[in-house]
């Protein structure tokens, strides 16, 4: 596994299979997110990865300490502070990302992203008007690993697309059916008005 040096230490991301083994006993939903979610959707390797993202609901945040018992969990507190997150602390709504590693001398292995929910609906942290039934925001690969629906992942990537986001879009776009393309196009229109990806979704 390639080691990526970050401002707060090096990254050696866990594999999706390793994440699944760590999170298997959680009593709440979770999904592989980011570029690995795109790869699980298309069923093949697309590109290199500097980290691995896992999405959980904010209301389930305390279960993360149970899944990663003995690990260090650090909250990414805007505008750029990475600080220890203690088990008893309720993270404020401004904190969306948690970096996790087995110990202080270990590389970072997992980044957990917290998103919102309202009852049985997923609610985008970018805009509460963008929402979906929780039962429909993910899928499972042939090995049973849950991953975030690609159209939702692309929605999050669309704010400031980087080269790797364009790569992910190209990889998964042929697999998006009309309903998924329409949802993504409407979500982009709602949040950004015009967006260069919308023409490619028609």
């Amino acid at each position: 596994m390639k080691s990526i040096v970050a401002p707060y230490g090096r990254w050696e991301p866990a594999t999706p299979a390793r994440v699944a083994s760590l999170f298997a006993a959680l009593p709440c939903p979770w999904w592989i997110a980011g570029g690995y979610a795109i790869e699980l959707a298309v069923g093949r390797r697309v590109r290199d990865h500097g980290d691995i993202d896992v999405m959980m609901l904010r209301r389930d945040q305390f279960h993360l300490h149970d899944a990663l018992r003995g690990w260090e969990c650090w909250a990414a507190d805007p505008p750029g502070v990475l600080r220890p997150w203690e088990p008893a602390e309720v993270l404020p709504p401004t904190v969306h990302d948690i970096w996790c590693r087995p110990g202080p001398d270990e590389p970072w292995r997992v980044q957990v992203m917290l998103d919102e929910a309202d009852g049985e609906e997923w609610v985008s942290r970018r805009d509460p008007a963008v929402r979906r039934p929780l039962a429909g925001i993910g899928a499972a690969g042939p090995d049973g690993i849950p991953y975030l629906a690609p159209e939702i992942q692309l929605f999050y990537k669309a704010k400031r697309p980087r080269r790797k986001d364009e790569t992910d879009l190209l990889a998964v776009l042929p697999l998006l059916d009309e309903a998924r393309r329409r949802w993504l196009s409407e979500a982009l229109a709602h949040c950004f008005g015009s967006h260069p990806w919308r023409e490619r979704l028609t």
Side-chain angles (χ1 to χ4, degrees), residues 21-198:
S21 70
L22 289 168
F23 285 35
L26 283 183
C28 61
W30 59 273
W31 304 265
I32 297 289
Y36 276 109
I38 300 297
E39 291 189 348
L40 288 170
V42 302
R44 62 177 174 84
R45 183 175 175 83
V46 173
R47 58 175 175 82
D48 291 334
H49 301 274
D51 60 9
I52 187 167
D53 300 320
V54 178
M55 193 178 91
M56 293 179 62
L57 301 179
R58 181 173 299 279
R59 67 192 183 193
D60 297 326
Q61 62 183 271
F62 291 120
H63 293 305
L64 180 59
H65 284 291
D66 295 330
L68 301 180
R69 194 174 300 276
W71 283 44
E72 289 189 351
C73 296
W74 289 57
D77 213 344
V81 175
L82 194 64
R83 61 174 179 81
W85 174 40
E86 300 300 331
E89 179 192 1
V90 178
L91 290 173
T94 53
V95 172
H96 304 297
D97 298 301
I98 304 162
W99 290 24
C100 310
R101 61 185 177 186
D105 299 321
E106 297 286 335
W108 301 105
R109 298 292 193 186
V110 180
Q111 177 171 275
V112 175
M113 302 183 302
L114 300 179
D115 223 334
E116 312 304 326
D118 180 9
E120 293 305 310
E121 282 192 314
W122 161 78
V123 180
S124 169
R125 64 180 181 272
R126 293 262 173 86
D127 189 322
V130 177
R131 52 181 65 206
R132 287 259 291 269
L134 277 172
I137 70 166
D143 49 9
I145 299 176
Y147 62 88
L148 190 62
E151 67 274 18
I152 296 178
Q153 187 57 67
L154 290 173
F155 168 71
Y156 276 128
K157 286 174 169 288
K159 184 176 182 179
R160 284 186 293 270
R162 301 152 295 183
R163 179 176 298 179
K164 65 180 182 179
D165 302 320
E166 292 286 343
T167 299
D168 290 344
L169 173 68
L170 289 173
V172 79
L173 189 58
L175 302 179
L176 297 184
D177 60 22
E178 181 181 351
R180 293 177 187 273
R181 288 172 180 245
R182 182 172 60 251
W183 181 91
L184 179 56
S185 180
E186 291 174 355
L188 293 176
H190 175 78
C191 288
F192 307 113
S194 61
H195 191 284
W197 285 4
R198 292 192 66 211

